[in-house]
């Protein structure tokens, strides 16, 4: 699983990580530094322990950008703290017994490093670092088994140390995995939304371009045949081609404006515009019978869907029904349902559903309706039923 980057500039997240490291160093490091310096250990171990403490805090500062190397540095530093001899001096007297350096407050930095790998690295590293952390818990319990400054009996002290270290390790790891899972889920939602938007735009592009080109091609073919014999019809044919082209350009500009982040000011077609659509298709040479109830008021999404269904169905009649086919457009509404039916008596073409039919089904399903399309007794029929 790839973990998404945190939102915002990368430098801002890095600055926040450095600020966290500085805060932890200011709070935790002075106690640990003093305890080591006054801990009555050999010079070599004193140097090793001080380097380990500084390395732990330094690893926190780089954990966001390089989580796995930072974790490796922190794990080695923790190993030094586990292997070092007990510390004496004033802090040991205050604690009531000499104690292992792994009890120094800076050891808490290890959980920050574990979280970073769990949240930001790919599999299998989160599982591997959890295993390393649990092994470290076992070593810590064994190392601290001789500490008697708390006054607790042996098994009680062992149980407390084991519970605290394992619980903190698992909690840090689980929080990191939660963040990684949440980021991946958000990415999937964004990808799904982008895919749905691409499908919506593809449907719109198909509806606009396919319908407009069908009208233009139909008029161009008719003009080629009749202009020589009836030149007075040339003006009307060219006007229809120009009008159809302008309307297609207007709708294309609206779609491109949405793609560019602009809000379109052009009104979307609706149920009341079906009459004009039918007239344009009639002017293109298609014979159409229109049977429509009073449009009334419907939701804009339902109206646009009804318009696009009629537009695509009539375009398919023009393409596939054959010459002389008659189309019937029926618009029926009740108190709760709008039914759109487009049928023809043409020969039709039996073929797998194309983009247009899939687009109609997706549009109708998006407003809670259903669409059926297939051969009827005389030709082809498309019926869409949408709730109001």
């Amino acid at each position: 699983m790839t973990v998404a980057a945190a939102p915002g500039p990368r430098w801002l997240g890095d600055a926040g990580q450095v600020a966290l490291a500085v805060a932890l160093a200011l709070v935790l490091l002075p106690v640990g530094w003093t305890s080591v310096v006054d801990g009555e250990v050999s010079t070599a171990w004193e140097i090793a322990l001080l380097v380990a403490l500084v390395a732990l805090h330094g690893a926190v500062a780089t954990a966001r950008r390089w989580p796995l190397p930072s974790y490796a540095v922190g794990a080695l530093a923790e190993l030094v703290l586990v292997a070092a001899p007990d510390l004496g001096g004033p802090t040991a007297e205050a604690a009531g017994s000499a104690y292992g350096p792994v009890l120094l407050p800076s050891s808490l930095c290890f959980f920050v490093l574990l979280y970073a790998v769990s949240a930001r690295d790919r599999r299998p590293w989160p599982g591997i670092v959890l295993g390393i952390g649990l092994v470290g818990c076992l070593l810590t319990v064994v190392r601290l088994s001789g500490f008697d400054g708390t006054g607790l009996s042996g098994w009680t002290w062992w149980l407390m140390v084991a519970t605290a270290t394992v619980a903190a390790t698992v909690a840090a790891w689980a929080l990191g995995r939660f963040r990684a899972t949440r980021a991946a889920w958000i990415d999937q939602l964004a990808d799904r939304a982008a895919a749905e938007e691409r499908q919506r735009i593809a449907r719109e592009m198909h509806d606009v371009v396919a319908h407009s080109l069908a009208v233009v091609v139909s008029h161009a073919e008719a003009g080629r045949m009749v202009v020589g014999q009836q030149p007075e019809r040339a003006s009307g044919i060219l006007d229809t081609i120009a009008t159809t082209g302008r309307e297609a350009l207007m709708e294309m500009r609206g779609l491109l404006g949405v793609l560019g982040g602009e809000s379109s000011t052009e009104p979307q077609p609706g149920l009341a515009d079906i009459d004009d659509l039918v007239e344009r298709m009639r002017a293109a040479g298609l014979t159409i019978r229109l049977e429509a109830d009073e449009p009334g008021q419907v939701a804009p999404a339902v109206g646009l869907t009804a318009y696009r269904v009629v537009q695509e169905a009539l375009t398919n009649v023009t393409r596939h029904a054959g010459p002389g086919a008659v189309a019937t457009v029926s618009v029926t509404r009740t108190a709760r349902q709008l039914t759109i039916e487009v049928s023809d008596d043409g020969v039709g073409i039996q073929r797998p559903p194309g983009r247009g039919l899939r687009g109609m089904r997706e549009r109708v399903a998006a407003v809670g309706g259903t669409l059926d399309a297939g051969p009827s007794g005389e030709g082809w029929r498309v019926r869409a039923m949408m709730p109001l």
Side-chain angles (χ1 to χ4, degrees):
M1 176 174 59
T2 301
V3 180
R10 184 172 181 177
W11 65 265
L12 186 60
D14 291 340
Q17 187 71 28
V18 172
L20 173 63
V22 171
L24 289 176
L26 291 176
V27 174
L28 305 179
L29 187 56
V31 176
W33 190 278
T34 303
S35 299
V36 171
V37 171
D38 298 336
E40 300 176 354
V41 292
S42 67
T43 303
W45 274 116
E46 180 178 331
I47 294 174
L49 288 172
L50 293 178
V51 170
L53 294 179
V54 172
L56 272 171
H57 290 280
V60 172
T62 60
R64 185 179 187 275
R65 181 166 294 200
W66 301 292
L68 195 58
S70 300
Y71 178 87
V73 170
L76 290 175
E78 284 291 328
L79 186 60
V80 171
L81 297 183
V82 170
D86 287 348
L87 296 175
T91 54
E93 294 177 4
S97 171
Y99 59 92
V102 72
L103 283 178
L104 293 175
S106 293
S107 292
L108 296 174
C109 293
F110 176 79
F111 302 117
V112 178
L113 304 177
L114 176 61
Y115 168 86
V117 177
S118 177
R120 307 190 65 83
D121 252 307
R122 300 178 181 179
R123 293 177 179 175
W125 291 114
I128 292 175
V129 298
L130 174 62
I132 294 173
L134 293 177
V135 171
C137 292
L138 176 62
L139 294 177
T140 300
V141 171
V142 173
R143 175 66 180 82
L144 297 178
S145 60
F147 180 67
D148 56 4
T150 61
L152 299 175
S153 59
W155 71 267
T156 306
W157 170 244
W158 278 51
L159 179 63
M160 187 184 73
V161 173
T163 301
T165 54
V166 171
T169 299
V170 173
W173 179 86
L175 285 174
R177 298 315 298 156
F178 171 77
R179 181 197 179 279
T181 303
R182 181 176 178 274
W185 177 68
I186 292 174
D187 281 349
Q188 289 178 357
L189 288 181
D191 291 342
R192 186 183 305 172
E196 291 175 353
E197 184 64 11
R198 286 194 296 269
Q199 291 177 357
R200 186 189 71 80
I201 293 171
R203 289 196 301 266
E204 294 287 349
M205 296 281 285
H206 174 272
D207 291 344
V208 172
V209 173
H211 169 74
S212 302
L213 286 180
V215 174
V216 168
V217 170
S218 176
H219 274 70
E221 291 177 343
R224 183 179 56 187
M225 293 185 293
V226 305
V227 166
Q229 301 174 356
Q230 299 173 295
E232 68 278 2
R233 294 184 58 185
S235 177
I237 291 175
L238 293 176
D239 285 344
T240 302
I241 292 176
T243 300
T244 303
R246 280 194 298 269
E247 291 175 350
L249 284 175
M250 289 175 59
E251 293 199 56
M252 290 287 288
R253 286 195 192 99
L255 288 174
L256 294 176
V258 172
L259 286 174
E262 303 171 3
S263 58
S264 176
T265 58
E266 296 294 334
Q268 292 288 336
L271 196 60
D273 298 303
I274 291 179
D275 287 347
D276 295 336
L277 173 63
V278 169
E279 289 302 321
R280 287 199 301 272
M281 296 301 292
R282 283 173 177 164
L286 182 62
T287 302
I288 305 174
R289 291 197 298 265
L290 177 61
E291 302 169 359
D293 293 342
E294 187 66 26
Q297 294 293 325
V298 297
V302 174
L304 176 61
T305 300
Y307 181 92
R308 294 302 189 198
V309 168
V310 175
Q311 184 183 55
E312 177 63 25
L314 291 179
T315 301
N316 288 340
V317 172
T318 303
R319 290 175 172 177
H320 309 305
V326 177
T328 300
V329 178
S330 173
V331 181
T332 307
R333 64 174 296 166
T334 63
R336 296 186 177 181
Q337 181 172 279
L338 175 67
T339 302
I340 303 293
E341 184 174 307
V342 180
S343 59
D344 64 76
D345 59 0
V347 295
I349 298 178
Q350 298 296 328
R351 60 175 187 165
R355 179 185 292 273
L357 184 56
R358 289 197 300 269
M360 282 193 287
R361 283 205 171 99
E362 290 170 357
R363 283 184 180 278
V364 174
V367 296
T370 58
L371 183 138
D372 296 319
S376 62
E378 299 179 349
W380 190 269
R381 180 179 64 191
V382 175
R383 176 184 293 168
M385 292 170 287
M386 293 167 282
L388 295 177

